[in-house]
Amino acid sequence: MKTIEIKAVSREHFGKKSTNSLRADGNVPCVMYREKENLHFYAPEKEFRGLVYTPDVFLVNLVVDGKSYNAVMKELQFHPVSDRLLHIDFMQVSTDSPIILDIPLKITGESSGVKAGGKLRVKRRALKVKGLTKHIPDHLTIDITGIGIGQSIKIGDLNYENLEIIDNKRAMVVAVEASRISLKDEEAAPGAEAAVEAPAAE
C-alpha cells in the first residue's frame, strides 16, 4: 500500500462560524477517530489532491502540529453543487493491528467467453478486506481468462494471501453474459436448426 504525507494544523475553535471561516480560506476541516480522544485538524485543500482524486488506496502519514500519526481515509464529504471538498474523516491505525479497507479491483486476462462474443459485466469495483497495513495491496487482481459465456466469479471464489474478504461471499464480482450477436449466432448454427426440426419429424 502506498504512503502519502499530509501536513495539518490542529483546530482550537469549533462551530459553524469557525468551520465556514476555514473553508473560506481554502482549508478542509478533518477529524481523525481514535480509541481515546478524537483529533480535529485542518489543512489546505491542495494537500489532499494526491489522496482524494485517485482510485489508489493510501496509508496516510498525518503530521499535525509536527506530530505524526498513521491513518487511513474513511469518508469524504463534497458540496452537492460545486463538488468542492468539504470534510474528511480519518481513522488512526496501528501497523500491528488489522484494518478494514475497500480495495479497488483490477481485471486481468481476456475471457474466453468474451472472445466467443459474450459481454463482460463488472458488478463490483472494489472489495472490503481486512489485514495488516503491510499486507494491504494497491489493488486486488482478478484473472478472467477462463470465464466462458454464462459463467461468473463470485467473492467466495476469491482468495488473497494474508487478507480476509469481508464482503458477502455469494455476491457476484464479474460475469460474462451472452450478447445479442452471440445469441443470433447460436440460432443460426446448424445444430440449433436440427434441434428445432427433430420434434416436427416425430
Side-chain angles (χ1 to χ4, degrees):
M1 184 166 58
K2 300 176 182 178
T3 302
I4 190 171
E5 182 178 277
I6 302 292
K7 294 182 178 180
V9 179
S10 60
R11 292 184 64 180
E12 298 179 357
H13 305 286
F14 302 93
K16 188 174 181 179
K17 184 177 180 180
S18 174
T19 299
N20 289 339
S21 178
L22 285 174
R23 290 173 178 154
D25 291 336
N27 296 303
V28 179
C30 304
V31 60
M32 180 175 67
Y33 295 101
R34 45 189 186 169
E35 289 185 1
K36 296 181 179 180
E37 184 181 3
N38 297 331
L39 178 62
H40 296 265
F41 59 95
Y42 66 91
E45 188 172 1
K46 63 181 181 180
E47 279 281 320
F48 300 105
R49 288 175 184 169
L51 174 66
V52 174
Y53 303 103
T54 172
D56 297 332
V57 178
F58 289 92
L59 175 65
V60 183
N61 177 27
L62 281 176
V63 182
V64 183
D65 297 339
K67 186 174 181 179
S68 296
Y69 306 87
N70 286 326
V72 292
M73 186 172 62
K74 298 299 291 184
E75 190 172 343
L76 299 168
Q77 182 182 349
F78 293 92
H79 191 280
V81 177
S82 67
D83 279 338
R84 182 183 175 186
L85 183 61
L86 296 179
H87 191 273
I88 306 179
D89 288 348
F90 291 90
M91 179 170 289
Q92 186 176 15
V93 298
S94 168
T95 55
D96 299 325
S97 300
I99 60 174
I100 296 176
L101 281 177
D102 288 330
I103 306 299
L105 294 174
K106 182 179 181 180
I107 308 298
T108 62
E110 187 175 357
S111 163
S112 57
V114 173
K115 289 182 179 179
K119 189 167 185 179
L120 181 67
R121 299 289 187 185
V122 180
K123 309 289 186 178
R124 302 289 293 267
R125 297 290 180 181
L127 290 181
K128 191 180 296 295
V129 302
K130 181 179 181 180
L132 296 176
T133 54
K134 64 180 180 181
H135 295 147
I136 301 293
D138 294 336
H139 57 262
L140 300 172
T141 301
I142 297 181
D143 186 0
I144 62 170
T145 303
I147 305 302
I149 294 177
Q151 296 181 326
S152 64
I153 296 177
K154 295 182 179 179
I155 291 177
D157 301 324
L158 302 174
N159 183 46
Y160 300 97
E161 188 176 2
N162 297 315
L163 295 176
E164 177 187 355
I165 302 177
I166 305 298
D167 288 306
N168 185 349
K169 301 296 187 293
R170 293 176 294 178
M172 193 176 297
V173 181
V174 295
V176 177
E177 301 175 354
S179 65
R180 293 181 179 179
I181 295 176
S182 62
L183 287 174
K184 288 180 180 179
D185 289 343
E186 286 184 15
E187 292 173 356
E193 293 178 359
V196 173
E197 292 175 0
E202 292 180 2

